[in-house]
Amino acid sequence: MTNITDIAKKAGVSRTTVSRVLNNHPYVKPEKRDVVLQTIEDLNYVPNLNAINLSRGRTNIIGVIIPRINHPYFSSLIEGIGEQCHKYDYSLLVYQSHNNLSRELLFFDMLKNKQIDGIIIGSCTLQATALNEMSHFGNIVSCEYSDTSSIAQVFVKHEEGIHMAVDHLRDRGHQKIGLCIGNSRSGVGMSRKKAFFDLQNKHRFIWRDDWYYKDQYTIEDGFQIARNMLGQQERPTALVVGSDQVAAGILYELREQGVSVPGEFAIVGFDNQPISKIAELTTIYQPVQKVGNIAVDLLQKLALQKDVPHVTQLDLQLIKRNTT
Amino acid sequence: MTNITDIAKKAGVSRTTVSRVLNNHPYVKPEKRDVVLQTIEDLNYVPNLNAINLSRGRTNIIGVIIPRINHPYFSSLIEGIGEQCHKYDYSLLVYQSHNNLSRELLFFDMLKNKQIDGIIIGSCTLQATALNEMSHFGNIVSCEYSDTSSIAQVFVKHEEGIHMAVDHLRDRGHQKIGLCIGNSRSGVGMSRKKAFFDLQNKHRFIWRDDWYYKDQYTIEDGFQIARNMLGQQERPTALVVGSDQVAAGILYELREQGVSVPGEFAIVGFDNQPISKIAELTTIYQPVQKVGNIAVDLLQKLALQKDVPHVTQLDLQLIKRNTT
DNA sequence: GTGAAAGCGCTAACAT
DNA sequence: ATGTTAGCGCTTTCAC
């Protein structure tokens, strides 16, 4: 393996000069620069990033933690993060935690280990205190609401999304509205739940505890929810569902069972995923990619020691289709 | 920052001993080991991975290159890769190329740079010669057919998938069958195209060049294809579509325009993605996650200098639903 | 403009 | 069972 010393020898200069050429430093005589570049070419020299990383004390790698990648919300988020990483010349390390606590901790070790320069939390179940402690080891940005003082956050206005959905259903006359969310312990889940029940109290809707579904992620979960609902003594007339995929499953199974939507039952999804177009699902659009973009921007600013807003929130949009 | 030397001093041993404790080497007296571990605890010592990487000459990071993450096929693939990485203690670096050649080359530099130990090609447009050359710099496994001698490959039997789809349509009486695929320059695209036209020739189906659609990825692309087809003088009676998402779009728009499916027109998709369940799409299931799993297994074996099969192929399965 | 030399933090061959 | 020592390949002060 040819290294910087080989180049220096062959080119008849010092390693320092080679390093300068490599890093586009000024103060290198053009002729020498050319010789060095030529030698690099001749010897097929490739710098060793590990050495550079060790020497510089950073890696230009950003880590992102999510429960799992194969979910439209997280795919979009990662896509947004990935694009912005490319812009700043960061590499992107993706870590799937399955919301498993010990896995999450393992991931944060990479920050301590200096293997990654910063962390973007797509979703994570660690407590605020733990996160605050982690933030001593490097820059962290969260893409979900997080009850911490030390971590910059960017997310969509989840409360507003719930408001939009509930208000829309209320406008259409619904008074018995159920809620279905994904991970109930995540920042997103908690905000949504809180916003929903605040509205419940405010409007004094009718309510039954079995109208609340949590930890639902897939189409099949949706099938199950529909069947479950049909078995209930008293049923809601509408459902706010935190994921288009689950909403589509519910919709499908309800119609399968002869329930007319939106005639007898209304559904609002979240995300405006491709499936919502096919299912003609009323949904709340969330600029997820944009969240990813901004997360990287924040991390970059933090890396440059600049100040960043503690919380950045993005607007949502109701897309009315055929299920309300 | 506390390092191994600090620990050694404080614990009254040599750096080597500390290193041995850290790496669970035998031949360390239990008492010393305990002192070292205690000191590590006391000083909040965390090993620096960059130093380890430099010293060991590897990083335990695997890179995977895909056009974009936000596509069900690639999400599944990454999920499968990610899980297996976790098993072998690899980290996963995800690189979105957008099929852009210069981006692809940039990615392979990371292998040369020693920043990653191995590469999994999810999809990539580099020529065989280029890939063969790259393989000198580290282990590479491809998840698509690749015309190279030096790269281990694992993929589903794309030809068989096309066969299944076409035979199924033929069984149902279709003689005018169109084809719609994604990236036509990728390994998958090329295999599918070839298999399809081989069958065309064999069965002497009726054919028109405008029954071939390429570079189609989204639901909206599907809408467009449907409209385009309806405008054609002579239309096919069935379409084999390389992606469920596109197939769902076509289906939706056709029905929107009053075409009865499967009455007047038949559609077969690929992947058995969630959307195919909702759309009741006949589709070809591909064990994509499994492909990802195996890719990592192969890389791991290569890392251990073991022999691996040059080509591994996985079986597909026709899932008959309501569009054929 | 250029180079010598001292790190960066860890591993591993070798000696004891 | 433990320590000495020489790297791993690059960056960066500092002196000239």
Side-chain angles (χ1 to χ4, degrees):
Chain A
M1 234 210 97
T2 127
N3 63 23
I4 208 176
T5 309
D6 302 335
I7 303 295
K9 265 188 204 143
K10 186 104 186 289
V13 299
S14 72
R15 281 153 50 193
T16 315
T17 300
V18 177
S19 174
R20 287 198 178 105
V21 171
L22 250 23
N23 294 286
N24 291 313
H25 276 278
Y27 305 128
V28 179
K29 216 182 251 170
E31 311 121 52
K32 290 213 172 189
R33 147 170 270 107
D34 291 343
V35 179
V36 170
L37 287 174
Q38 187 57 50
T39 314
I40 285 176
E41 179 106 52
D42 293 346
L43 268 53
N44 281 318
Y45 165 75
V46 187
N48 179 319
L49 264 178
N50 290 124
I52 298 178
N53 290 343
L54 174 59
S55 188
R56 290 213 244 250
R58 60 192 169 76
T59 59
N60 269 35
I61 300 180
I62 283 181
V64 55
I65 181 168
I66 52 173
R68 50 183 304 213
I69 185 81
N70 193 10
H71 182 292
Y73 175 87
F74 292 115
S75 295
S76 297
L77 185 66
I78 301 276
E79 174 145 324
I81 292 172
E83 279 324 289
Q84 213 68 354
C85 278
H86 185 254
K87 184 167 147 192
Y88 295 125
D89 226 22
Y90 286 121
S91 290
L92 181 61
L93 205 128
V94 173
Y95 191 86
Q96 304 188 80
S97 69
H98 295 264
N99 290 318
N100 174 314
L101 193 64
S102 62
R103 277 212 194 187
E104 292 183 343
L105 290 169
L106 231 44
F107 174 66
F108 281 89
D109 277 347
M110 304 186 76
L111 198 59
K112 296 189 191 172
N113 284 331
K114 304 262 174 208
Q115 192 163 28
I116 54 184
D117 290 352
I119 280 183
I120 294 177
I121 297 176
S123 179
C124 139
T125 57
L126 286 181
Q127 302 296 316
T129 48
L131 287 180
N132 274 325
E133 200 184 318
M134 294 300 175
S135 68
H136 299 319
F137 296 99
N139 296 322
I140 304 182
V141 168
S142 175
C143 295
E144 59 179 8
Y145 171 74
S146 181
D147 187 16
T148 63
S149 51
S150 57
I151 293 182
Q153 304 169 22
V154 50
F155 45 80
V156 298
K157 297 178 178 167
H158 298 294
E159 300 81 5
E160 194 183 295
I162 294 290
H163 281 233
M164 283 174 160
V166 171
D167 284 352
H168 176 63
L169 290 169
R170 193 158 149 268
D171 286 348
R172 306 187 80 77
H174 293 276
Q175 295 284 327
K176 299 174 173 182
I177 305 174
L179 175 67
C180 169
I181 61 173
N183 182 359
S184 56
R185 291 164 308 149
S186 72
V188 184
M190 293 192 299
S191 330
R192 285 181 175 169
K193 190 176 168 187
K194 179 168 184 316
F196 183 83
F197 286 109
D198 284 353
L199 276 183
Q200 273 287 350
N201 286 333
K202 182 177 155 200
H203 294 309
R204 306 204 160 281
F205 289 141
I206 296 154
W207 177 254
R208 286 176 56 94
D209 284 346
D210 57 0
W211 295 353
Y212 168 57
Y213 297 89
K214 61 174 180 176
D215 303 322
Q216 309 295 325
Y217 304 98
T218 66
I219 290 201
E220 283 76 10
D221 289 338
F223 295 163
Q224 196 54 49
I225 290 169
R227 285 185 219 116
N228 175 294
M229 237 174 14
L230 292 175
Q232 291 175 358
Q233 286 203 329
E234 192 168 354
R235 312 206 292 246
T237 62
L239 214 47
V240 174
V241 186
S243 140
D244 278 342
Q245 206 155 289
V246 177
I250 297 173
L251 170 64
Y252 180 90
E253 184 66 16
L254 282 180
R255 288 196 174 141
E256 196 76 1
Q257 303 283 337
V259 177
S260 149
V261 179
E264 304 171 55
F265 196 90
I267 303 177
V268 180
F270 263 85
D271 260 5
N272 195 33
Q273 292 160 17
I275 205 169
S276 71
K277 298 174 193 164
I278 295 301
E280 300 191 5
L281 205 60
T282 295
T283 193
I284 309 287
Y285 166 72
Q286 315 191 104
V288 183
Q289 291 213 17
K290 185 100 193 176
V291 170
N293 291 158
I294 294 179
V296 180
D297 289 342
L298 289 173
L299 221 38
Q300 169 69 3
K301 281 194 185 147
L302 287 172
L304 299 177
Q305 320 272 5
K306 291 189 196 162
D307 282 339
V308 301
H310 182 235
V311 173
T312 307
Q313 284 188 295
L314 271 51
D315 284 319
L316 307 174
Q317 204 177 323
L318 175 81
I319 299 182
K320 163 88 178 73
R321 292 206 184 90
N322 223 351
T323 55
T324 51
Chain B
M1 234 209 96
T2 129
N3 63 21
I4 208 176
T5 309
D6 301 336
I7 303 294
K9 265 188 206 145
K10 186 105 187 288
V13 300
S14 74
R15 281 155 49 195
T16 314
T17 300
V18 178
S19 175
R20 286 199 179 104
V21 172
L22 251 22
N23 294 287
N24 290 314
H25 276 277
Y27 305 130
V28 179
K29 214 182 253 171
E31 311 121 51
K32 290 215 171 187
R33 147 172 270 105
D34 291 344
V35 179
V36 169
L37 288 174
Q38 187 57 50
T39 314
I40 286 175
E41 179 107 51
D42 293 347
L43 270 52
N44 281 317
Y45 166 75
V46 186
N48 178 319
L49 264 178
N50 290 123
I52 299 179
N53 290 342
L54 174 59
S55 187
R56 288 214 245 248
R58 60 192 170 75
T59 59
N60 268 37
I61 301 180
I62 284 181
V64 54
I65 180 168
I66 52 172
R68 50 184 303 214
I69 186 79
N70 192 9
H71 181 292
Y73 175 87
F74 291 114
S75 295
S76 297
L77 185 66
I78 301 275
E79 174 144 325
I81 292 173
E83 278 324 286
Q84 213 67 355
C85 278
H86 186 254
K87 184 166 147 192
Y88 295 126
D89 226 23
Y90 286 121
S91 290
L92 181 60
L93 203 131
V94 173
Y95 190 86
Q96 304 189 78
S97 70
H98 294 264
N99 290 318
N100 174 315
L101 194 62
S102 62
R103 277 211 193 187
E104 292 183 343
L105 290 169
L106 230 45
F107 174 66
F108 281 88
D109 277 346
M110 303 186 76
L111 198 59
K112 296 190 191 171
N113 283 331
K114 304 263 175 206
Q115 191 162 28
I116 54 184
D117 290 352
I119 279 182
I120 294 178
I121 297 176
S123 179
C124 137
T125 57
L126 286 182
Q127 302 296 316
T129 47
L131 287 180
N132 274 325
E133 200 182 319
M134 294 300 175
S135 68
H136 299 320
F137 296 99
N139 296 322
I140 304 182
V141 168
S142 175
C143 295
E144 60 178 8
Y145 171 74
S146 181
D147 186 16
T148 63
S149 51
S150 56
I151 293 182
Q153 305 168 21
V154 50
F155 44 80
V156 297
K157 298 178 177 166
H158 298 294
E159 299 80 6
E160 193 183 295
I162 293 290
H163 280 232
M164 283 175 160
V166 170
D167 285 352
H168 176 63
L169 290 170
R170 192 157 149 269
D171 286 348
R172 306 187 80 77
H174 293 276
Q175 294 284 328
K176 298 174 172 182
I177 304 174
L179 175 68
C180 169
I181 60 173
N183 182 0
S184 55
R185 291 164 307 152
S186 73
V188 183
M190 293 192 299
S191 331
R192 285 181 175 169
K193 190 176 168 185
K194 179 168 184 316
F196 183 84
F197 286 110
D198 285 353
L199 276 182
Q200 273 289 350
N201 287 332
K202 181 177 156 202
H203 293 309
R204 304 205 162 280
F205 289 140
I206 296 155
W207 177 253
R208 288 176 55 95
D209 284 345
D210 56 1
W211 295 353
Y212 168 57
Y213 297 88
K214 62 175 181 175
D215 303 322
Q216 309 295 323
Y217 303 98
T218 65
I219 290 202
E220 283 77 9
D221 290 338
F223 296 163
Q224 196 55 48
I225 291 169
R227 285 186 219 115
N228 175 294
M229 236 171 18
L230 293 175
Q232 291 175 0
Q233 286 203 329
E234 193 169 351
R235 312 206 291 245
T237 63
L239 214 46
V240 173
V241 186
S243 141
D244 278 342
Q245 205 155 292
V246 177
I250 297 173
L251 171 65
Y252 179 90
E253 184 66 16
L254 282 180
R255 287 195 174 142
E256 196 78 359
Q257 303 283 338
V259 177
S260 147
V261 180
E264 305 171 55
F265 196 90
I267 304 178
V268 180
F270 264 84
D271 262 4
N272 196 34
Q273 292 160 17
I275 204 168
S276 72
K277 297 173 193 164
I278 294 301
E280 299 191 3
L281 206 60
T282 293
T283 193
I284 310 287
Y285 166 71
Q286 314 191 103
V288 182
Q289 291 212 17
K290 186 100 192 175
V291 171
N293 292 158
I294 294 180
V296 180
D297 289 341
L298 290 172
L299 221 38
Q300 170 68 4
K301 281 194 184 144
L302 287 172
L304 299 177
Q305 320 272 7
K306 292 190 196 161
D307 282 338
V308 301
H310 181 233
V311 173
T312 307
Q313 285 187 296
L314 271 50
D315 284 318
L316 307 174
Q317 204 177 323
L318 176 81
I319 299 182
K320 163 88 178 74
R321 291 207 185 89
N322 222 351
T323 56
T324 51

